[in-house]
Amino acid sequence: MPVYTVAGTLLDIDFEVPELAPAPGPSARAWTLRRSDELAGGELERITELRLPSGTLWGIIETGDHGYRLTYPDRAEVDVEPASRRVRYRARPELSEPTVSHLLVNQVLPYLLVADGVLVLHAACVALDGKAVAFVGPTGMGKSSLAAAFVQRGAELLADDIVPLVEQEDGPYLVAPVYPGLRLWPDSAAFFAGAADELPTVADYTDKRRWDGLGGPSPDLRLPLVAVVAPGNEPEPGRPEVRIGRLRGADAFMTLAEHSFRLERRGRARHDADLERFTRLAERVPVHLIEYARRYDLLPTVLEAIEEAVGPET
């Protein structure tokens, strides 16, 4: 079976995932991902629900004696067993292989990294002059489009959707590259890649397109994270078309906490650990909110505003 590496975590998967980097060799510490008709039995307790900005239920996270179950309604169920580092997934038979791959890589993989103790942002990320800038936000807010715009200007793509952070005791947070591809809505795919219809769809249930083969740094490289940028709402009429400002205190903390992957959210100890972790991140990495009119002709101005805001750090 193919073995891949992401941020130091090894994945032994029962099908090929070309966008992931191959591992040097097999390892007993690899997570094994296998299709199975039999999932864990026993009672499950719901931890949280994952919803799209529209309010539509997207996923459910539950816990049981075996570990965790991730359910994507009408698509797949996935059991994550941290003790044995085993993942069993049961997907609807009508789902295509690219769809199953997308669910496992974009939805399940970040939780495996979290189970390994990695802090993972739901973000896109690019390298500017050898330093990482991440764009966080819910689906549809334009973080992948901002990354694509920077890539068009010569930046290196580090990740889309999944940004693993390596914390150093004395030093910056480091970003580990994931895969050199973007997931774009058709209009953005047409603008950045030239023709949306010529790009494959991400999955059976979405119109998003895959823009792959963008190159990128070695998966072993670690780049310092110097800024996080959150796309906000479009400005109201009469306000500047582009406005960027730094978030501080609770606003920075909440932006990072809300746009991260977390498995266990219950209990005082868990809350205390998250409070400490995201407070430390917010204190050490500047977080900026950018509000801009969603027009492609305005992107050069948007990118210049971002570069100017993060310039002292990069």
Side-chain angles (χ1 to χ4, degrees):
M1 298 293 179
V3 180
Y4 303 96
T5 178
V6 177
T9 289
L10 298 181
L11 309 166
D12 181 343
I13 307 178
D14 57 1
F15 59 86
E16 293 187 356
V17 187
E19 59 262 42
L20 295 183
S27 169
R29 289 294 298 163
W31 287 90
T32 60
L33 289 79
R34 299 289 185 268
R35 185 186 288 268
S36 175
D37 291 330
E38 295 185 7
L39 300 184
E43 294 186 1
L44 296 171
E45 180 181 355
R46 185 168 297 195
I47 297 175
T48 190
E49 295 180 348
L50 309 173
R51 294 186 178 272
L52 300 175
S54 64
T56 301
L57 180 65
W58 163 247
I60 300 167
I61 301 179
E62 298 169 294
T63 187
D65 291 339
H66 69 288
Y68 301 95
R69 177 165 297 168
L70 312 178
T71 300
Y72 303 96
D74 301 321
R75 296 184 178 96
E77 296 171 295
V78 183
D79 276 350
V80 176
E81 304 172 17
S84 61
R85 299 184 69 79
R86 180 172 68 167
V87 176
R88 290 182 287 173
Y89 65 93
R90 181 169 61 195
R92 291 292 180 94
E94 65 271 17
L95 293 184
S96 66
E97 184 172 305
T99 298
V100 175
S101 176
H102 172 72
L103 283 170
L104 292 177
V105 172
N106 286 73
Q107 307 301 326
V108 177
L109 168 58
Y111 292 111
L112 302 185
L113 297 173
V114 169
D116 279 352
V118 179
L119 178 59
V120 185
L121 296 179
H122 180 208
C125 191
V126 298
L128 303 178
D129 296 325
K131 298 178 182 179
V133 176
F135 307 102
V136 302
T139 298
M141 288 301 289
K143 54 186 182 293
S144 295
S145 293
L146 286 177
F150 272 111
V151 168
Q152 274 198 332
R153 284 177 45 147
E156 285 190 300
L157 178 67
L158 300 180
D160 187 25
D161 281 344
I162 307 166
V163 176
L165 301 183
V166 179
E167 183 177 1
Q168 303 180 103
E169 186 173 346
D170 296 314
Y173 285 81
L174 302 179
V175 172
V178 178
Y179 51 74
L182 287 162
R183 285 48 176 156
L184 300 169
W185 293 108
D187 59 332
S188 291
F191 180 81
F192 294 112
D197 292 342
E198 296 179 4
L199 299 178
T201 56
V202 168
D204 299 338
Y205 52 82
T206 179
D207 288 334
K208 275 190 173 183
R209 300 300 201 270
R210 295 165 50 95
W211 188 25
D212 292 329
L214 299 178
S218 163
D220 297 326
L221 190 66
R222 301 291 182 265
L223 297 178
L225 178 67
V226 296
V228 173
V229 178
N233 296 323
E234 294 194 50
E236 297 178 358
R239 305 294 293 273
E241 290 185 312
V242 179
R243 184 172 62 171
I244 188 168
R246 184 167 174 179
L247 300 176
R248 300 183 185 275
D251 291 332
F253 171 91
M254 290 302 299
T255 297
L256 295 169
E258 287 177 358
H259 303 304
S260 65
F261 291 92
R262 286 179 286 164
L263 267 174
E264 186 61 76
R265 306 189 181 199
R266 305 167 305 163
R268 177 63 181 269
R270 181 69 266 163
H271 286 301
D272 288 348
D274 281 347
L275 176 63
E276 180 180 347
R277 199 174 205 187
F278 289 108
T279 297
R280 191 162 58 245
L281 178 60
E283 289 174 345
R284 292 167 59 183
V285 178
V287 180
H288 303 272
L289 174 69
I290 185 164
E291 299 171 304
Y292 62 99
R294 299 305 198 269
R295 300 200 325 260
Y296 292 116
D297 66 294
L298 197 60
L299 278 175
T301 304
V302 173
L303 301 194
E304 289 171 5
I306 292 173
E307 289 173 332
E308 182 177 352
V310 307
E313 287 80 26
T314 59

